[in-house]
Amino acid sequence: MKQGYLSQYFKGVAVKRLSAVEAHPEKSNQHEFNGVGSLAKVLGPAIPKQKFDATFLYLNDDDPEPIESDGFVTWYDARENHPTRSENRLYFPTTTVSQNANEGDLLLIAKKPDDTVLVIVAEAGSTIENQLMWLMGESDITHPGFSVKGEIENDQVKLDFVSRLILEQVGIEAAETDENYLEHMLHLFNGVFPDTATLSRYVRDSVNINPLDDPDAALVVWYEREFIMFRTLEEHFLGSKIKDGFPSVKEFLDLSLSVQNRRKSRAGSALQNHLTPIFKAYGLKFETQGVTENKQKPDFLFPGASEYHDPAFATEKLLMLGAKTSCKDRWRQVLAEAARITNKHLCTLEAGISENQTNQMMAHGLQLVVPKQYHSTFSTKQQGWLLSLKDFIVFAKSKQT
């Protein structure tokens, strides 16, 4: 197991596509995955029979949260007493996850360091399916059996910011922290959690990078660094609260909810905070949170709200850019934020968004702006449509010339 690599979280991983009989088995208490011969590399020997506690997840593009069930999987050799033959089998119980699965969905089975098993079913053609395939280094799966990576192969997969975000979607807390900066931050911020703008400035001041050299790289480096600094502070402040315990379930739930809400709100704010100095460095005229129709507030209006509301100002010189770390269905919110602008833009750090979703975006006149480093997680067809941050800046500059 190597820190900062996939093997830190998974001893072994196997992926395949669900067959019809696996997705829709006859009604019974247990069902069987097929093509499991290579799973010994993940689950170990099938003799004697092993029963693993398991968490089952079903993910798609429509539901905001995964469908989750707890259960078990049983790994054994049905021919244990045969002198020459072996027939390994992997059984699983009926769960809400198996009831949602369909033929062609991606199945991922991972053994974790605590010897529990994670069973993930990702809807075929979904964003999370693309992301998991990319994380596991799989471009396509056509053969009926499992494609397997053991711990040695997972030792070669170094995790980056995008990888960690993908793992968090499947319940793996993979955030990186840096204790070397903790004491300095606590002193600088007077022992309290700083607001997002303050933390963003601190991050930019601590990283020597010029956005004029490469705006895509600057955005990614700044955002990744803030992600690490934020989680370092969060670990410090939450650690003491968790250590002290909770007098009631309500207080525990309240804290959990506040943590999740803070993470979500800061993620989007941090992206906007780091885009702002990049646009300023390039001399672009823009306004953040300028008010449009029905009190909508786009993240960025180019050149600004006064020009937007001036009927004499040429519509073709107006641009709007939303900023969302991840899309899901939230990209639709951007569509209503500036009615005067037909073709809108959205900057995101989400990798491998499905073709189904990007086709919908195209149909609604929305174009994605994605840092160049992440374009390889999209299909060749999608890459021809994506804009890098540098591409968007050049386009915005042409509108203001």
Side-chain angles (χ1 to χ4, degrees):
M1 180 182 74
K2 291 169 64 176
Q3 294 293 316
Y5 288 76
L6 193 59
S7 58
Q8 182 179 351
Y9 304 99
F10 297 140
K11 285 185 175 181
V13 181
V15 293
K16 65 167 289 187
R17 295 212 173 275
L18 286 174
S19 65
V21 68
E22 292 168 321
H24 304 291
E26 295 180 1
K27 188 175 181 180
S28 64
N29 291 326
Q30 290 200 124
H31 314 296
E32 177 185 8
F33 290 126
N34 299 322
V36 299
S38 58
L39 278 185
K41 195 173 181 180
V42 175
L43 300 177
I47 299 175
K49 178 170 69 174
Q50 299 189 69
K51 188 174 181 179
F52 298 96
D53 290 333
T55 299
F56 298 82
L57 297 175
Y58 176 80
L59 304 105
N60 60 23
D61 286 341
D62 299 321
D63 297 316
E65 300 294 333
I67 296 172
E68 182 174 347
S69 298
D70 292 323
F72 63 90
V73 292
T74 305
W75 175 237
Y76 74 105
D77 187 342
R79 304 278 184 173
E80 180 177 356
N81 298 318
H82 196 281
T84 59
R85 293 182 59 189
S86 64
E87 187 180 325
N88 292 352
R89 293 183 179 179
L90 182 65
Y91 280 95
F92 62 98
T94 298
T95 64
T96 53
V97 172
S98 64
Q99 291 170 339
N100 278 274
N102 286 291
E103 180 181 2
D105 286 351
L106 182 72
L107 170 67
L108 183 149
I109 296 177
K111 188 179 181 182
K112 297 165 70 175
D114 62 0
D115 288 333
T116 61
V117 170
L118 181 63
V119 180
I120 300 171
V121 178
E123 183 182 34
S126 64
T127 295
I128 187 62
E129 180 202 52
N130 291 346
Q131 293 172 341
L132 289 172
M133 292 274 284
W134 174 78
L135 180 63
M136 301 305 163
E138 299 286 348
S139 57
D140 194 17
I141 301 175
T142 56
H143 55 85
F146 280 94
S147 178
V148 176
K149 290 185 185 297
E151 189 166 3
I152 294 176
E153 289 96 335
N154 288 338
D155 265 344
Q156 311 305 313
V157 183
K158 184 172 176 58
L159 299 178
D160 60 9
F161 170 69
V162 173
S163 307
R164 295 177 188 278
L165 287 182
I166 294 170
L167 287 173
E168 290 199 358
Q169 290 187 70
V170 297
I172 304 294
E173 187 74 14
E176 183 182 358
T177 60
D178 191 339
E179 301 301 319
N180 294 323
Y181 285 82
L182 180 59
E183 186 175 345
H184 181 251
M185 287 193 293
L186 291 175
H187 173 74
L188 186 65
F189 304 140
N190 298 317
V192 299
F193 223 127
D195 60 62
T196 311
T198 300
L199 184 58
S200 295
R201 282 194 301 271
Y202 171 78
V203 166
R204 290 195 298 274
D205 290 342
S206 67
V207 178
N208 184 23
I209 188 169
N210 185 350
L212 292 175
D213 294 333
D214 188 340
D216 293 82
L219 179 63
V220 171
V221 169
W222 287 341
Y223 195 92
E224 286 186 355
R225 194 69 192 154
E226 179 159 349
F227 185 76
I228 294 170
M229 295 297 98
F230 170 76
R231 290 301 176 89
T232 300
L233 287 168
E234 184 183 66
E235 184 91 6
H236 170 76
F237 288 114
L238 288 181
S240 58
K241 291 185 179 181
I242 293 172
K243 186 178 179 180
D244 294 339
F246 300 92
S248 68
V249 173
K250 182 181 183 302
E251 289 199 22
F252 168 75
L253 293 176
D254 287 345
L255 177 63
S256 176
L257 183 61
S258 69
V259 169
Q260 294 301 320
N261 288 338
R262 181 169 59 189
R263 286 183 177 184
K264 291 176 182 177
S265 64
R266 280 180 174 256
S269 297
L271 182 58
Q272 181 177 312
N273 289 344
H274 295 310
L275 284 168
T276 297
I278 293 175
F279 294 150
K280 286 182 178 178
Y282 279 88
L284 287 170
K285 186 179 180 184
F286 65 93
E287 184 175 343
T288 59
Q289 303 296 314
V291 179
T292 60
E293 302 86 359
N294 302 316
K295 297 184 179 180
Q296 295 286 339
K297 295 181 179 180
D299 293 317
F300 295 92
L301 265 179
F302 302 81
S306 60
E307 292 86 353
Y308 181 85
H309 290 291
D310 181 0
F313 190 84
T315 300
E316 62 271 16
K317 290 185 176 292
L318 295 170
L319 288 176
M320 74 142 286
L321 177 74
K324 295 187 181 296
T325 308
S326 59
C327 288
K328 278 271 185 179
D329 260 356
R330 292 188 301 154
W331 63 267
R332 297 179 185 277
Q333 299 169 9
V334 176
L335 302 178
E337 289 180 349
R340 190 179 171 188
I341 301 172
T342 304
N343 296 311
K344 301 176 176 65
H345 293 82
L346 172 62
C347 181
T348 185
L349 301 180
E350 185 163 17
I353 298 172
S354 69
E355 287 196 10
N356 177 55
Q357 280 201 312
T358 56
N359 287 340
Q360 291 181 44
M361 293 175 189
M362 292 180 202
H364 286 85
L366 181 68
Q367 187 162 22
L368 282 185
V369 178
V370 179
K372 190 68 176 178
Q373 296 90 316
Y374 305 150
H375 283 207
S376 62
T377 67
F378 292 79
S379 70
T380 302
K381 177 183 175 183
Q382 290 172 305
Q383 289 180 42
W385 166 74
L386 293 175
L387 292 180
S388 67
L389 181 56
K390 181 63 178 291
D391 293 333
F392 176 79
I393 290 170
V394 171
F395 180 63
K397 289 280 284 186
S398 72
K399 296 287 186 180
Q400 296 186 6
T401 302

